[in-house]
Amino acid sequence: MIRAARNAEMPQRPSVSQPKTARGEATKKAILAAAERVIGAKGYNDASIGHITSEAGVAQGTFYIYFKTKEDVFSELVLEMGRLVRHSIAEATQGIDDRLAAEKAGLQAFLEFVQAHPDLYRIVQEALFVDPEAYQAYYSAFADGYRDGLTEAALAGQISAGDPDTRAWALMGIARALGEQLVVFKSDKPIPELVASAYDLIENGIKP
Amino acid sequence: MIRAARNAEMPQRPSVSQPKTARGEATKKAILAAAERVIGAKGYNDASIGHITSEAGVAQGTFYIYFKTKEDVFSELVLEMGRLVRHSIAEATQGIDDRLAAEKAGLQAFLEFVQAHPDLYRIVQEALFVDPEAYQAYYSAFADGYRDGLTEAALAGQISAGDPDTRAWALMGIARALGEQLVVFKSDKPIPELVASAYDLIENGIKP
DNA sequence: CGCAAACATGAATACTGATTCATGTTTCAT
DNA sequence: ATGAAACATGAATCAGTATTCATGTTTGCG
């Protein structure tokens, strides 16, 4: 058995080859899409490589041409989710100068994304157990953006003063809870109503 | 206060014998405590029965005297977490008539509980993947209590009017996010500060 | 073309870990 | 004190499955 020195000093990721042809590209995409469906539906542990590859229509060995391990494909899905949802929100808030209005539009975009990609939502949640680093990276990226936005908005007088860290975490917690209502608890409350109620709370609080 | 008439049914579980002697009782408790530590630390899938029983100081077979399956012990832990945290909150809010003050005290109690029982916190989160029914039961019980409390408080004029379902979910989302800050992201922000910032937001919102 | 690299196959390997069971020990009501 | 029920043991079973590999097929460039 080959025992190459295993260390943490590998700068790049040459462990598996990136696809060099259109065919390889398509196959890798098919595996990723299948993994999203299968892992989203059955969970990480009950989703076997066999399930994923048969869903993708390729042989089991093909999986290891593009991914080093089962955890690897999972990590890529978490990263993909981060990219996609950030892109969705950025697009939805494009050109909105008022922070409150932007946050509202961002929440709406987030909930619509989650409803459209319930599998990705579950995968991010499961990352806390399968790939904690990816999980923390995902939420830290969001939290940093939120916090900076809140800090700027406070300076511009668009919102009241208050600890931006805690606020960022609280607002993310609200978004996540509402997303979970849609995906996990299968609430049929329309997204615009959820957003309106939540933003009334966020803007005005619940004091009489 | 939490009204608990909802689950008046005690589902019998004749699948395995309940302990009949003090000795059996102690052994079962030891296994449960070991399972909490091991599953909380390693996660459901990496926590083997062998790990749990050796941590408990009993033989592997002993596990199956008290639990039908590995999932079984996990479910009991989720139920235990629900009981304990509800008890903590009920105790902390005992005799507080003002809803806002009660919610604030409840949030503080929740965060203190979570900090004291990080393993149980992770177990409840993982229940979404290991035992979805237990997960939904856990959060539904909380949401129901929250919603009823908010509805009463609105009628009493203690808080403004607003959709109590969405508010309940949002408030739970905030509590959960702050708990995660403590346990997962290891924030060292003192709990009273977290609670103060969060309740300023909840009471007054962020409008200037 | 023609051929090297890229891609694909699926059976074989190697190992883990949940659950069972035959056997032994302790408890406690009588 | 005693025997039946309760409790405890841990080696054996048994199924699943991540990963490898030797072998074939396809692609695209010169």
Side-chain angles (χ1 to χ4, degrees):
Chain A
M1 173 188 306
I2 298 173
R3 286 202 55 94
R6 241 180 146 70
N7 54 36
E9 308 303 314
M10 300 297 284
Q12 298 299 6
R13 37 178 75 235
S15 39
V16 285
S17 59
Q18 293 306 104
K20 310 278 196 225
T21 72
R23 187 194 181 199
E25 191 75 42
T27 301
K28 181 174 182 181
K29 275 212 177 90
I31 294 172
L32 261 177
E36 177 180 332
R37 284 191 299 272
V38 175
I39 296 179
K42 308 169 88 90
Y44 179 78
N45 282 278
D46 290 348
S48 70
I49 304 296
H51 288 141
I52 292 170
T53 50
S54 95
E55 173 83 10
V58 300
Q60 278 198 204
T62 306
F63 180 92
Y64 291 90
I65 296 172
Y66 301 105
F67 303 97
K68 205 169 75 120
T69 64
K70 186 180 168 186
E71 236 186 87
D72 227 42
V73 74
F74 187 89
S75 300
E76 280 211 24
L77 287 174
V78 176
L79 291 179
E80 191 197 6
M81 165 80 174
R83 280 192 299 266
L84 289 177
V85 74
R86 272 193 295 276
H87 182 260
S88 272
I89 292 176
E91 201 162 75
T93 57
Q94 195 82 356
I96 301 181
D97 285 332
D98 181 61
R99 189 76 205 173
L100 271 175
E103 291 297 353
K104 194 167 172 179
L107 176 63
Q108 168 120 5
F110 173 77
L111 293 180
E112 279 164 0
F113 182 91
V114 162
Q115 192 161 60
H117 301 82
D119 292 339
L120 281 181
Y121 178 87
R122 299 183 90 250
I123 284 169
V124 170
Q125 294 307 112
E126 195 163 15
L128 175 54
F129 305 99
V130 175
D131 187 348
E133 276 185 32
Y135 181 87
Q136 298 201 13
Y138 175 91
Y139 278 108
S140 295
F142 269 103
D144 290 349
Y146 249 118
R147 189 203 45 222
D148 293 351
L150 290 170
T151 303
E152 273 180 43
L155 287 175
Q158 292 180 337
I159 62 174
S160 64
D163 176 31
D165 279 314
T166 307
R167 279 180 168 182
W169 282 103
L171 294 179
M172 287 177 58
I174 292 174
R176 185 168 147 189
L178 299 186
E180 185 166 303
Q181 272 302 308
L182 295 174
V183 167
V184 176
F185 292 84
K186 307 260 169 53
S187 160
D188 54 355
K189 201 164 285 202
I191 289 178
E193 280 182 31
L194 282 176
V195 173
S197 292
Y199 258 82
D200 179 60
L201 169 64
I202 292 170
E203 290 178 356
N204 306 306
I206 62 177
K207 248 192 188 160
Chain B
M1 191 175 299
I2 294 172
R3 303 231 62 65
R6 203 153 277 265
N7 42 354
E9 312 198 19
M10 298 280 290
Q12 299 298 23
R13 33 180 66 237
S15 37
V16 285
S17 60
Q18 294 305 105
K20 310 279 199 222
T21 72
R23 186 194 180 199
E25 192 75 42
T27 302
K28 181 174 182 180
K29 276 212 178 90
I31 294 173
L32 261 177
E36 177 180 331
R37 286 191 298 273
V38 176
I39 296 179
K42 308 169 88 88
Y44 180 77
N45 281 280
D46 290 347
S48 71
I49 304 295
H51 289 140
I52 292 169
T53 52
S54 95
E55 172 84 10
V58 300
Q60 276 195 216
T62 306
F63 180 92
Y64 292 91
I65 295 172
Y66 300 105
F67 303 97
K68 208 171 77 128
T69 64
K70 186 181 171 187
E71 236 186 88
D72 227 41
V73 75
F74 187 90
S75 300
E76 280 210 27
L77 287 174
V78 176
L79 290 178
E80 190 196 9
M81 165 80 174
R83 280 193 298 267
L84 290 177
V85 73
R86 274 192 295 275
H87 181 260
S88 272
I89 292 176
E91 200 162 76
T93 58
Q94 196 82 354
I96 302 181
D97 284 333
D98 180 64
R99 187 74 205 176
L100 270 175
E103 290 298 353
K104 195 168 173 178
L107 177 63
Q108 169 121 2
F110 173 78
L111 293 179
E112 280 165 358
F113 182 91
V114 162
Q115 193 161 59
H117 300 81
D119 292 340
L120 281 180
Y121 177 87
R122 297 182 91 250
I123 284 169
V124 170
Q125 295 307 112
E126 194 163 14
L128 175 54
F129 306 99
V130 174
D131 186 348
E133 276 186 32
Y135 182 86
Q136 298 201 12
Y138 175 91
Y139 278 107
S140 295
F142 269 104
D144 290 350
Y146 249 119
R147 189 203 42 223
D148 294 352
L150 290 171
T151 302
E152 275 179 41
L155 286 176
Q158 292 180 337
I159 63 173
S160 65
D163 175 30
D165 279 313
T166 306
R167 280 180 167 181
W169 297 332
L171 294 179
M172 289 176 56
I174 292 174
R176 185 168 147 189
L178 298 186
E180 185 166 302
Q181 263 303 293
L182 295 174
V183 167
V184 177
F185 292 84
K186 307 260 168 56
S187 160
D188 54 356
K189 201 164 285 201
I191 288 178
E193 280 182 30
L194 281 176
V195 172
S197 292
Y199 258 83
D200 179 61
L201 169 63
I202 292 170
E203 289 177 355
N204 307 306
I206 61 178
K207 248 192 188 160

